[in-house]
Amino acid sequence: MNVLTKARLAGNLLLALAVLALGAAVLTGREISPTWIWALGALAIAAGVIQFIVSVAFPRSIRPAWDEQTVASHRASYQFGYWAGLIAFWGLFAGVQGGAVDAETALLWLAPILIAAPSLWMAGATAAGRAG
Amino acid sequence: MRRLGNRLREHRQGAGLTQAALAEQVEVSRKTINTVENGVFVPSTLLALSLAQCLGVAVEDLFQIIDD
């Protein structure tokens, strides 16, 4: 596993764990504030920037870290993210219609789901030997 | 049912290369070599030809169609 693969895995794990922690916090009765969403978005952007810096610093790590198997897993992660977002949307929409969730909370939840789903997939793909 | 069989591991070991060494030469990750050897990942034509070239064999020696 080269340095770029490690940076990507660390970013994906951090994002997935942050969103899972957020979900756990909500389940224990805490409310999500927009600040949390800002923080998650910033973490996602920081992960991308760090990978870019690592790519520039270690250019020989780019091809192995983004070989064809990893690219295939990366595409699959976005497909997973799409379906996760779509299912979450309908689930939250039903929750809003039924009065179980307010519209603002539902909107706020879509962002973490869209951020975490591809990251979770890529972390799983790396663990399964299908990326990096 | 047709599937892709391969003798990559045999040829790699015959050439005295580790998965990591072969991966470095064809610029993929070691995991990709591993999944190709285990038949989990089907490589592109480009990668198949690169592997054959690197090991000094014909691509047909590395990959075969198997009819089950």
Side-chain angles (χ1 to χ4, degrees), chain B residues 33-51:
Chain B
I33 299 296
N34 186 56
T35 50
V36 171
E37 284 186 354
N38 291 324
V40 174
F41 180 67
V42 176
S44 67
T45 310
L46 183 66
L47 179 55
L49 287 166
S50 300
L51 289 165

Side-chain angles (χ1 to χ4, degrees), chain A residues 92-131:
Chain A
L92 289 166
F93 181 72
V96 170
Q97 293 296 303
V101 187
D102 65 81
E104 190 182 354
T105 304
L107 182 64
L108 286 176
W109 260 110
L110 279 176
I113 289 165
L114 283 169
I115 289 171
S119 293
L120 196 59
W121 183 278
M122 279 304 287
T126 305
R130 298 305 302 269

Side-chain angles (χ1 to χ4, degrees), chain A residues 57-79:
Chain A
F58 302 94
R60 281 174 58 86
S61 68
I62 298 173
R63 280 181 183 268
W66 286 106
D67 66 8
E68 58 189 65
Q69 181 177 229
T70 305
V71 169
S73 293
H74 198 240
R75 284 190 190 129
S77 79
Y78 282 117
Q79 288 171 358

